[in-house]
Amino acid sequence: MEVKVVPISKDSLEWQCSLLKIGGLTVLLNCGWNVCLDPELLNPLLPHLSELDLIVLTHADIKHLGALPYLLGKHPITCPVICTEPVCRLGELSCVAYLEDRDKYQASPEEFSVDDVVRTFMSRITTLSYRETYNLQVRGRTLAACALPAGHHLGSACWTFHCGSYSVLYAVDFDLRCNRFLDGLELQRLLPTSRGAAQPWDLVITSPLPTLGGLLPQQGMQQARQEASVPTKALTEARTIKEQLLLEGTIATLRRGGSVLIPSDVAGSVPEILLLLDAAWEQDRQLSSNYPLVWLSSMGDMVLDHLKTRLEWMSKEVLARFEERIASNPFMLRNVRIFQSLEELCSAHPLSRPKVIISSSPDLESGDARELFMRLCGEPTNLLWFLGLPPAGTLARQLVNDFVLQHATRKEYRLQQYLKQALPEEQLRAFYETKIQELSESGAKLPAELAMLKAEFEEMGRIKAEEGLAPEAVAPFDDVAGAAAAVPGAGAAPAS
């Protein structure tokens, strides 16, 4: 028997996926994907799919589980999939939100659909509690997997594996600090044993530090607050320099008449930033009266409901406060309003008015965050916050390189933007017929929607042949009328 790690993702800062071979068993450690959803990135994993005995997930975002619906839908994988209950529920919402964001301004992804996501997370995943051991018995061998709190996101976990005499610790993207609603990584459960000796792990797998980390401005997340530069009671809610600077920059921008855009993933940094801003707005009624605090997400209401009902997964501080004051739920937000679409937001609060907008797609590659950036970037009074280092090759990373590292004050970008363009019925039918033919010739499985259209087209062709009608005499499929196809366009947008 041996212990071996086979990396699948070339850049684990962008997406997480690797294989652990322990005691003759094979475990897939996370099943993430990059923001492009490129199937070719998964090619190194395909030869190992038949060997998988277990799939383990740590976080509820695309980086850690984005490829799971695709792989389970396209390949005959039968092994168990385990994660904590919040990762399962929030992971489903993250995948659905990401697909909807792409569909708004890009061609719909062909890799997997919302149906694949729902099917995967509703029927294929076994959920566990923290410190609950999952025992897997395969081919006469037993593997024990246990999840421990990792901080960072709700339900995120570090995993320990024991098989025979081998022990492995898998701890990626964890957080040592306690934030506003989560405790940090429990080091005391991973290190101390009898007489103070360290746990004899045969292998520890963890995350590398960002290569640009030393070049980015460092402010000390755990340092105490400094003297405030913006006079407002809201700053009393800041616990660290990081929070103080975020509040100061945000409030100063609003008072200058600008808006603040904070792109973030649905289940990652959003909960903590919502708690901080809602508490700050509660301290200063002038902020809540004059500057709307909005969360733009089609999944926002559902994510917030999941957060409200999972207090048992949160920090000891949150639980103690809830027990002292019944109904003291930290996510009963009084100053945050959720909007499902950009059109709904603009009708309620025109973009010309100062406001704080938290939106999905932290990489600015898709969704409403990208569209908002295109509309707001030309005005120097507006402010864009990044809550982490964006993946390489994205618009967000390019902005960090140019404006944070290179200290640019203005730069013009040529970006590809997709628009939804309504097609006449004849062109729309020709578009779908061509698409169906291409997929059929390639041997790929038709998505449910296209399979239904193909059946309708064949039925219409049969009717035409029986009645001897000309092609133009056959009415097009009603459900196709009024649909739209995504067509690419190009445009230049300055950034300030």
Side-chain angles (χ1 to χ4, degrees):
M1 296 199 302
E2 62 176 2
V3 178
K4 181 181 179 182
V5 176
V6 180
I8 301 299
S9 57
K10 294 182 179 179
D11 185 356
S12 59
L13 294 174
E14 185 176 349
W15 60 291
Q16 289 275 353
C17 186
S18 56
L19 289 169
L20 169 65
K21 295 181 179 293
I22 176 173
L25 302 179
T26 303
V27 181
L28 181 61
L29 304 175
N30 278 319
C31 191
W33 220 347
N34 72 344
V35 296
C36 298
L37 305 184
D38 184 3
E40 293 187 0
L41 294 175
L42 303 175
N43 287 342
L45 175 62
L46 300 184
H48 301 278
L49 293 181
S50 60
E51 307 169 7
L52 294 182
D53 299 301
L54 181 67
I55 299 175
V56 171
L57 308 174
T58 61
H59 295 70
D61 55 15
I62 297 296
K63 176 181 177 180
H64 297 88
L65 52 71
L68 184 67
Y70 169 78
L71 288 175
L72 295 186
K74 302 293 183 182
H75 301 276
I77 300 174
T78 59
C79 69
V81 183
I82 60 174
C83 65
T84 64
E85 194 271 345
V87 166
C88 179
R89 299 282 77 84
L90 294 176
E92 177 182 359
L93 296 181
S94 293
C95 290
V96 172
Y98 190 77
L99 291 179
E100 291 186 353
D101 281 342
R102 281 176 58 98
D103 187 60
K104 288 179 181 177
Y105 304 105
Q106 298 186 30
S108 300
E110 299 178 0
E111 290 74 26
F112 62 97
S113 65
V114 172
D115 290 339
D116 295 323
V117 173
V118 174
R119 189 181 307 112
T120 295
F121 286 92
M122 292 297 292
S123 62
R124 287 300 314 274
I125 295 181
T126 300
T127 60
L128 304 175
S129 301
Y130 284 143
R131 306 174 192 89
E132 179 183 356
T133 300
Y134 180 85
N135 292 306
L136 175 69
Q137 294 185 347
V138 180
R139 299 186 297 277
R141 297 182 175 89
T142 300
L143 174 69
C146 181
L148 297 175
H152 202 54
H153 298 169
L154 184 68
S156 62
C158 296
W159 287 88
T160 63
F161 302 97
H162 296 274
C163 184
S165 61
Y166 291 102
S167 61
V168 175
L169 171 63
Y170 181 56
V172 295
D173 295 330
F174 57 86
D175 198 341
L176 294 174
R177 70 187 179 99
C178 297
N179 62 26
R180 290 181 171 268
F181 71 107
L182 293 176
D183 290 327
L185 175 69
E186 295 185 337
L187 283 176
Q188 68 275 13
R189 287 185 171 270
L190 301 178
L191 298 180
T193 56
S194 60
R195 298 181 182 179
Q199 172 72 35
W201 301 107
D202 294 295
L203 178 66
V204 176
I205 307 169
T206 189
S207 307
L209 295 175
T211 55
L212 289 179
L215 302 177
L216 296 174
Q218 302 292 324
Q219 296 295 340
M221 295 168 56
Q222 292 285 33
Q223 296 178 17
R225 296 187 298 114
Q226 299 175 339
E227 184 177 352
S229 62
V230 179
T232 172
K233 294 180 180 179
L235 295 183
T236 60
E237 288 296 330
R239 300 180 180 180
T240 63
I241 291 180
K242 176 183 177 181
E243 293 184 348
Q244 179 180 343
L245 292 175
L246 188 143
L247 288 177
E248 287 180 346
T250 297
I251 295 171
T253 298
L254 295 172
R255 290 178 175 174
R256 290 196 304 264
S259 290
V260 179
L261 175 61
I262 308 177
S264 180
D265 56 285
V266 169
S269 303
V270 164
E272 188 172 8
I273 200 69
L274 286 175
L275 291 177
L276 171 62
L277 294 177
D278 185 72
W281 260 235
E282 192 68 21
Q283 288 291 333
D284 191 337
R285 304 313 300 174
Q286 183 183 12
L287 294 177
S288 58
S289 300
N290 298 319
Y291 308 118
L293 180 58
V294 303
W295 182 16
L296 178 58
S297 172
S298 60
M299 297 285 108
D301 287 321
M302 299 181 68
V303 171
L304 197 57
D305 287 341
H306 281 291
L307 293 172
K308 292 176 183 177
T309 57
R310 282 164 176 78
L311 296 184
E312 70 273 16
W313 295 87
M314 299 183 187
S315 65
K316 300 179 183 67
E317 177 187 355
V318 169
L319 294 176
R321 190 178 304 170
F322 183 79
E323 292 174 357
E324 292 173 3
R325 296 172 53 195
I326 302 301
S328 176
N329 191 311
F331 287 98
M332 298 297 293
L333 306 176
R334 300 178 58 182
N335 302 285
V336 178
R337 185 176 176 187
I338 300 175
F339 291 92
Q340 302 291 324
S341 66
L342 182 56
E343 293 75 17
E344 182 182 348
L345 168 61
C346 292
S347 63
H349 302 289
L351 292 183
S352 57
R353 288 186 53 195
K355 65 180 67 61
V356 178
I357 307 173
I358 304 169
S359 184
S360 55
S361 188
D363 46 63
L364 297 181
E365 285 298 301
S366 62
D368 291 323
R370 182 183 178 96
E371 180 66 19
L372 281 168
F373 172 75
M374 300 284 284
R375 298 188 189 187
L376 298 174
C377 65
E379 178 52 59
T381 59
N382 295 328
L383 175 65
L384 173 65
W385 281 115
F386 289 121
L387 302 180
L389 184 63
T394 63
L395 173 58
R397 181 64 166 269
Q398 186 64 48
L399 292 172
V400 170
N401 292 340
D402 293 336
F403 289 89
V404 178
L405 300 181
Q406 304 299 326
H407 306 289
T409 57
R410 183 178 180 87
K411 186 172 183 178
E412 186 171 293
Y413 296 87
R414 184 161 296 276
L415 305 173
Q416 187 178 45
Q417 183 75 335
Y418 291 83
L419 302 175
K420 294 290 185 177
Q421 177 180 329
L423 297 178
E425 293 179 355
E426 295 79 7
Q427 294 184 26
L428 192 61
R429 176 172 177 172
F431 169 83
Y432 280 115
E433 287 179 335
T434 302
K435 193 68 175 176
I436 291 172
Q437 183 177 356
E438 291 175 353
L439 291 175
S440 299
E441 292 177 352
S442 67
K445 181 181 178 181
L446 291 179
E449 296 82 358
L450 290 183
M452 182 181 67
L453 286 176
K454 181 181 179 182
E456 291 288 340
F457 292 156
E458 292 175 348
E459 178 65 16
M460 292 161 59
R462 184 186 63 79
I463 295 175
K464 179 187 66 176
E466 291 179 354
E467 299 182 359
L469 298 177
E472 59 272 12
V474 180
F477 179 43
D478 291 340
D479 289 346
V480 177
V487 296
S496 299

